Amino acid sequence: MSFGFAPPPQVSPPPSADSAARLGRMLEPAEWASAGIPLLRNPREVVTGLHARHRPLPSTAIVAVLDSHERVTASASFTELTAAPDGWEFRNVLLAHLRRVIPHDLRLRAPVRTAVLLYCREGEPLWTETDGAWMWGLRDACTLHGLRCGAYITLTPDRWQVLGEGRGGRRPRVSSLNEPVTESRRTAAGSQENRRTTAPPDAPRTAADLPVARGRPVARRTAGGAPEARRHTAAR
């Protein structure tokens, strides 16, 4: 006969306790406003740049790291669908993406870079529990990555809004399928530059677009390959 102790059964917490813990991991607008979040000098420029770079759809979150001049040094976008928003889960997702795009600043005595979060969703631009969970997750992720916690911005079909500040605008809004396509290319420095395509490469040019060197006519090749001289005659 052998004696022993049976392992205790795995007891899951009651739904009420889990809901209370989840509600404790979110921030309300008053708490966010009193947390000392630095104000963006030009929020419209930040929102427009992130929107042009990532073209977010509903349920898309964009986390971006800004330098001291509010230039985007790194950013990542991802889709997060959840029925019960939890700041702890949002913190883990944000921290994972920050670790992929930029090294931490934990060795510094004080943060020098700021992380902002742009969340694209349906509905009104007013505060929701999902926004509160994202706020809690952003603040905690910034602490664990050595960053300064920055603005939380929502992007809805009507407008963009910096929650806790009252600043916003009607453009940009949630991306739609009817918007022009943006192509991206990399510059010599390695950074990504976005530009909007306005005309096909082979679009004909007018005479005003032709170059003139030192007042002499510039040769232009015709369809057959032979040069064609375009002479500029003076008015008599």
Side-chain angles (χ1 to χ4, degrees):
M1 180 179 296
S2 60
F3 297 92
F5 297 95
Q10 297 293 334
V11 180
S12 58
S16 58
D18 181 72
S19 178
R22 182 176 58 83
L23 292 176
R25 293 189 289 265
M26 64 176 56
L27 297 176
E28 296 185 358
E31 297 175 300
W32 182 258
S34 62
I37 305 300
L39 302 179
L40 291 173
R41 293 191 296 269
N42 194 340
R44 184 185 301 275
E45 182 178 346
V46 174
V47 174
T48 303
L50 294 178
H51 181 272
R53 178 175 297 187
H54 294 277
R55 290 296 181 186
L57 296 175
S59 301
T60 300
I62 304 174
V63 59
V65 180
L66 311 179
D67 61 11
S68 58
H69 300 286
E70 289 191 358
R71 292 175 300 202
V72 178
T73 59
S75 64
S77 62
F78 53 93
T79 302
E80 188 67 21
L81 299 174
T82 179
D86 193 327
W88 183 78
E89 295 181 2
F90 289 168
R91 185 274 309 271
N92 293 341
V93 172
L94 290 171
L95 193 59
H97 284 281
L98 285 173
R99 287 170 176 169
R100 290 191 184 101
V101 299
I102 198 166
H104 67 78
D105 286 342
L106 296 174
R107 297 182 182 89
L108 302 178
R109 293 184 178 181
V112 296
R113 294 183 290 190
T114 305
V116 299
L117 181 62
L118 174 66
Y119 184 59
C120 178
R121 61 170 172 80
E122 301 286 354
E124 299 294 330
L126 302 177
W127 181 90
T128 64
E129 290 187 356
T130 303
D131 298 325
W134 279 119
M135 291 173 172
W136 192 95
L138 177 63
R139 186 185 65 175
D140 217 38
C142 289
T143 301
L144 296 176
H145 206 64
L147 301 172
R148 181 188 296 110
C149 181
Y152 174 72
I153 309 163
T154 58
L155 195 67
T156 61
D158 293 332
R159 60 191 288 111
W160 60 270
Q161 180 81 21
V162 183
L163 293 190
E165 298 183 16
R167 292 188 291 176
R170 296 189 178 276
R171 294 289 187 278
R173 298 183 293 185
V174 175
S175 299
S176 64
L177 298 178
N178 297 327
E179 292 184 0
V181 178
T182 298
E183 65 173 8
S184 59
R185 60 185 176 90
R186 293 193 174 274
T187 60
S191 60
Q192 192 171 11
E193 180 186 32
N194 294 305
R195 58 177 180 175
R196 189 179 302 277
T197 303
T198 57
D202 55 348
R205 297 188 300 175
T206 62
D209 297 327
L210 298 177
V212 177
R214 296 183 180 178
R216 297 194 302 269
V218 179
R220 179 185 180 187
R221 293 190 177 275
T222 61
E228 176 190 4
R230 300 181 62 89
R231 184 177 304 278
H232 300 270
T233 57
R236 297 182 179 177

